[in-house]
Amino acid sequence: MCGIVGIVGKSPVNQTIYDALTVLQHRGQDAAGIVTWGDEGLKIRKSNGLVRDVFHQRHMMNLTGNVGMGHIRYPTAGTAKSSEAQPFYVNSPYGICLAHNGNLTNHDELAELLTRDDRRHLSTGSDSEVLLNVFAHELQSLDNVRPTAEQVFDAIEAVHNRCSGGYAVVALIIGHGIVAFRDPNGIRPIIIGERETSSGTEYMVASESVALATLGFKKARDLRPGEAVFITNDGQLHTSQYSGKTSYSPCIFEFVYFARPDSIIDNLSVYKARLRMGEQLAGQIVREWPDHDIDVVIPIPDTSRTAAVQVAYHLGVKYREGFIKNRYIGRTFIMPGQAERTQSVRRKLNAIDLEFRGKNVLLVDDSIVRGTTSRQIIKMAREAGARRVYFASAAPPVRYPNVYGIDMPAASELIANGRTVAQIEELIGADRLIYQDLHGLIRSVRHDNSEISQFDTSCFSGEYVTGEVTPAYLQALEKARSDEAKTRQNAKWTMPDMAVGDEPQDADRAVNA
């Protein structure tokens, strides 16, 4: 999962992009990048690390211009190298920078066609670079000195026809404007907003509405599945809808875990969805376990708090904060390797013994993916003196890989894959394990939005909305993108990767185009 932002402003946009990326930091902690364009040409800074560590004052002063884009990343495709930090850049046609959130399911096929037929060179294993080169090739074939909105949209139409998977894209066509578009199934989110200034209207696109709201932009709307927008440097907004088949199928895991609770995605409140998840989960506990002996409900911070409050309320038991979180440790689920995830749990959380000692405790989490965090936390609760430790997940069992941009590529790494609830319960060490059912989760999220055709629930149901995901594809994906495979890929780099704040020659430069 990644975060993207693009702005066409009436004044320098460097600080606005920086602030937006910090708001979206929860979507990726591996790398960050900003590109701007103005009278001094193209300026770019990107490297591994958090936003606050990648950009220092000297970088911000260099990022001049009223048009720009930014990206924060964690690696699902490719590796955690600074050379794969986004945005990516190609110099023809016009000069294009591109960043995206999602994953292409036909990456390998496209990469082969690009190198063999389109005669384009790929420097990384990232599907963002593939998307960039597909878009550049289609735009170059139009052969025009200055691209019109119609020609840009024709190129994006061709991208949709060639690319499969889930993707939300922002691109800067140097000297012309910002482009943003969403995959025909609307799997990955992207939102457009505007802000009135004394000099005119400024436009911003971002992964989540919270980035717009924090910076004073009024949300206009979510991009529809297959929709594209082109905002010219002088602030003219053009829109186009994909002529092919579309389906409104947003990823439901955004509401379970990834998105900030104060975001509105596809006109659905993440916060209210999580409240309803708690209501549904409490109802399920009452149905399955009417004579429960739960003394206290304790959330596993932070994303499960909203649901846990509702669980406690509807069960009529106490709600307590039993874990204190070190906010300087990254989100464990999106860390790039199992070893990092395991080591970070105890550094991240500390139990308050008084809330556990001698009690039957129900721990509530948003989901259970690999089981690493759950197992460690249950152990911590027992060490703090809990008499019994029960565990509830606001989401169903994650049994299948996610292929649309969430780091769940390997079925073998998912604790629920091929196991019963009783077996998972034993593996994580819980006295009882309760999962939300899928219908309850969908009811919690969908609430009053009839435009959504369905949700992408593939990691729970094994049903993939794009249709082309086969067992052979999943097997190849696991081989290429499991934690073990990523470890091998990173080990190939014999030179040490650049530490936070280093100055890579190709990542902090001005390009006069």
Side-chain angles (χ1 to χ4, degrees), residues 293-304:
D293 59 350
I294 300 167
D295 296 320
V296 61
V297 173
I298 293 178
I300 298 170
D302 282 319
T303 46
S304 63

Side-chain angles (χ1 to χ4, degrees), residues 377-390:
I377 287 175
I378 290 171
K379 185 178 179 181
M380 289 171 64
R382 294 196 188 281
E383 291 171 353
R387 186 166 59 241
R388 293 188 181 90
V389 182
Y390 309 124

